[in-house]
Amino acid sequence: MKIEINGRSFAEDPRPGQCLRTYLRDRGWFGVKKGCDAGDCGACTVHVDGEPVHSCLYPAFRADGRTVTTVEGLAAEDGELHPVQRKFLDAQGFQCGFCTAGFLMTTAALDEDQLTDLPRAFKGNLCRCTGYRAIEDAVRGVCHAEAPGAGEAVGRNLPAPAGPQVVTGKARYTFDIDIADLLHMKLLRSPHAHARITAIDTTAALQVPGVHAVFTHYDAPERHFSTARHEHPTEDPDDTRVLDDTVRYVGQRVAAVVADSEAAAEEGCRRVEVTYEILPAVLDPEEAMRPGAPVVHDKDAATARISRPQDNVVGEAHGEIGSVEAGFAEADAVYEDTYRTQRVQHASLETHGAVAWFDEDNRLTVRTSSQTPFLTRRALCALYDLPEEQVRVVAGRVGGGFGGKQEMLVEDIVALAVLRLRRPVKLEYTRAEQFYGATTRHPFTINVKVGARRDGQLTALQLRVVSNTGAYGNHGPAVMFHSVGESMAVYRAPHKKVDAFSVYTHTVPAGAFRGYGLGQVMFAVESALDELARQLDLDPLEFKARNIIGPGESMLSPGGEEEDLHIASYGLDQCVSIVRRARTEPWEAAPEGWLVGEGAALAMIATGPPGGHIADAKASLLPDGGFDLAVGTAEFGNGTTTVHRQIAAGELATTVDRITVRQSDTDVVRHDTGAFASTGTVVAGKATLRASRALADQLLDFAAAHLQLPRTDCRLAEEAVLHPGGRLSLKELHAAGAAVGTEFTADGHFGGTPRSVAFNAQWFRVAVDPDTGEIRILRSVHAADAGKVMNPMQCRGQVEGGVAQALGATLFENVRIDERGAVETAAFRRYRLPQYADVPRTEVHFMETADAIGPLGAKSMSESPFNPVAPAFANALRDATGVRFTELPLTRDRVWLALANSPRHTPRPPVSP
């Protein structure tokens, strides 16, 4: 075997059956990513003799005598970037960056004709973060990024600091490291939805060459915990064991095999002999609440924090403001219907995984793809009785999260193996395992009833919500409570009532997902209000505008008013105005015979979770006059690293390139709750702001004393303190401090309260072919009230990505469960993620507001764009067709069937040959 890789020759023969992707990664070319191992996502794209191939499908032996180029080899030998790499940097055509190498390699091979048809050119590449528009801009040579020069940093389109590493393949994700003496773990999973393990024999598995250990429930700690990660663990039920003798869904882990190779570990899994006692299972949440249904968790309610274990209710909320009975009695029109939303997979291109080892100080070190490294460390210490100083958790660059990595799904079992074997151990989920062994978005059933007077004033709003949390209650109660919060509070109604249930079933567990329940309930509420307006012969948008909450008003939900939640800035009226304007502007003509309609939806979301969300930051002056910023929040395409540098640069009167950021490492700062609930800017950013301001004060105080000048005569400038007599460089200032034992370092802290709210509005104009069910989006407009927008380019990317992901959930994404409780859609090609050709260019508008709570006036904008998309689309579809669709996804066949059965539909005559 002789193969040239990026100009270097290699002669090692591949392992039998080895694909080119693993062959390249084994030799240190970590820019080649694993996203699917099925040729579906394109993250592993490389060039073989100049032609792009999916290296996960390309047998390594076929590269014999050929030249292979990975993303690391695109740049010139002198380090000059390839033109495509430069374009992606200029346009910032990435967020988490996990897919970027694949897009770069595909783009670099396109000829002029292919560049004219990007939907076809990119049919083999997937991106979950960007919504593809930034990628299109990169290919077209559009430049969005500004040079990081002097001046105010906040509010500018400054590029992500890791950008050069992302486009050259040098950014290091979880498994992009070499670890000596590494062992590999594979998991044996349950084939049954509900069963008790009566016997388990590992003898044959241990005889497989290379297998070192097999762990079963006999090896696991007895204590129960929750895989969900929250600042306060009591928010979630303790219903999970590392390995259990009872399995509660198809795909639950039964045993863990650790071996020298993945192949040996997989063979070991096949040879573990398990005897099961099959138990009755319940898959439907309504059935699960009925008397006599199989009990999923027969545990003590108080100690496990389960509301009603005997009824499979893990959490519930009941409340009423006023009297909905009286409210409906005084209404001139009442609308009631039941809405259903489906399971959706997070589909982050980097799968769940962790690698752990003991470092030179005999500390357990866990490197993991996690949004919550500090909370994961806390959970591991509690589970294995370890002191926190003996455990270090590190998140490298994370390849997408969307809430799915606000869980501890792999770290616990990897830690168990390392603690027992004292060897480094790696566990990396396959794409199939992501579907049946990770978590999904909660499926919801929402019965909504709304009433209003003839003048358009709401009189009553009532919800009955049932959320299917699956076999374990991680995030179940919290998602349920959140779902009926802002979705009801955003509208004024004197009478409101809610009954909500989070219910166990013997299905794959649900968990945190972008929007955290609001998107599901808003689909129902916004659709119902649209329908009620039509009953009253009112314009739906104006009807909603008449009833939305106003500035300074109390946010009332039957679940209870959250005292620390405030409307600290108000831009919802501006959002409505953007939609009004879009409706009056010219639009693309639809094909002849197609039905055209428009629809809008409004949304409100809290800028952080209730109960506190802690962030600490530390800012320090370095000897060279630069600055070090240590923050705990993880970077997974959310852009917090860029924003934190901008905040610090503004407070320290420097440029962002002079600020080094260290993050996502429990050895770096005291504590950070995690990068979830849209808190990266509004919570961690506020900690950064406070640390930077405190450091600036330290520098000016010391400089004034050192120069024997009044503090008012000194001011910070780029690389110096200016004063009437000249300038004192920051290098000189650091040296002067060191001479007297003074370190220039300052801490910043924010506890996540009080909180504000962010607002969004989405509007679509769509065209529908009544004879086929095909839908085309003629125009997509999104209005976002993000307060002071710290980085418009990045924030626009968050909105575009949120809209694109929500369109996937609206139109086709669906984790299907068969009659046995098994996931049927355990591959991208069966699941149907949005591709380049599916996503329109959404026009993003930012409102002019400044928040009184958020740092420098900013509000959150990672989750909120997702929430109004499905109802806006459903309302546009209703406007076009006259049919109210109450179940997601709005697949083409579902639309066609509904129209075919609609009395309004008249099929077009067949075309004569």
Side-chain angles (χ1 to χ4, degrees), residues 149-151 153 625 627 648-656 658-659 717-719 730:
F627 296 93
E651 296 302 311
L652 295 166
T654 188
T655 55
V656 292
R658 295 190 60 77
I659 297 176
E718 187 179 0
E719 300 187 48
L730 294 181

Side-chain angles (χ1 to χ4, degrees), residues 398-547:
V398 178
F402 317 112
K405 293 172 181 174
Q406 192 192 339
E407 305 272 357
M408 188 173 71
L409 298 180
V410 293
E411 298 90 344
D412 57 329
I413 189 71
V414 172
L416 172 66
V418 174
L419 289 168
R420 294 291 184 89
L421 299 174
R422 315 296 292 188
R423 290 269 303 273
V425 176
K426 168 189 173 183
L427 171 61
E428 183 179 13
Y429 273 14
T430 64
R431 179 54 56 186
E433 285 181 299
Q434 284 293 114
F435 281 98
Y436 55 67
T439 60
T440 73
R441 189 188 192 208
H442 285 77
F444 268 62
T445 300
I446 310 107
N447 179 267
V448 56
K449 185 176 181 180
V450 287
R453 293 196 299 267
R454 193 168 289 107
D455 62 2
Q457 294 295 321
L458 282 174
T459 61
L461 171 58
Q462 180 176 351
L463 295 177
R464 181 183 183 273
V465 172
V466 176
S467 169
N468 184 349
T469 198
Y472 291 90
N474 44 302
H475 296 281
V479 166
M480 180 268 300
F481 279 114
H482 191 236
S483 73
V484 296
E486 296 96 283
S487 59
M488 297 189 77
V490 69
Y491 287 104
R492 297 189 222 96
H495 308 286
K496 296 179 180 179
K497 184 179 181 181
V498 66
D499 292 287
F501 308 87
S502 178
V503 185
Y504 285 126
T505 60
H506 291 106
T507 59
V508 60
F513 190 100
R514 199 174 200 165
Y516 214 66
L518 283 179
Q520 293 95 311
V521 175
M522 284 179 179
F523 167 61
V525 171
E526 290 290 308
S527 296
L529 292 176
D530 189 275
E531 202 64 36
L532 181 61
R534 295 176 185 278
Q535 286 188 20
L536 292 166
D537 200 25
L538 297 174
D539 179 89
L541 179 65
E542 299 308 324
F543 171 63
K544 293 175 182 179
R546 189 175 303 178
N547 289 283

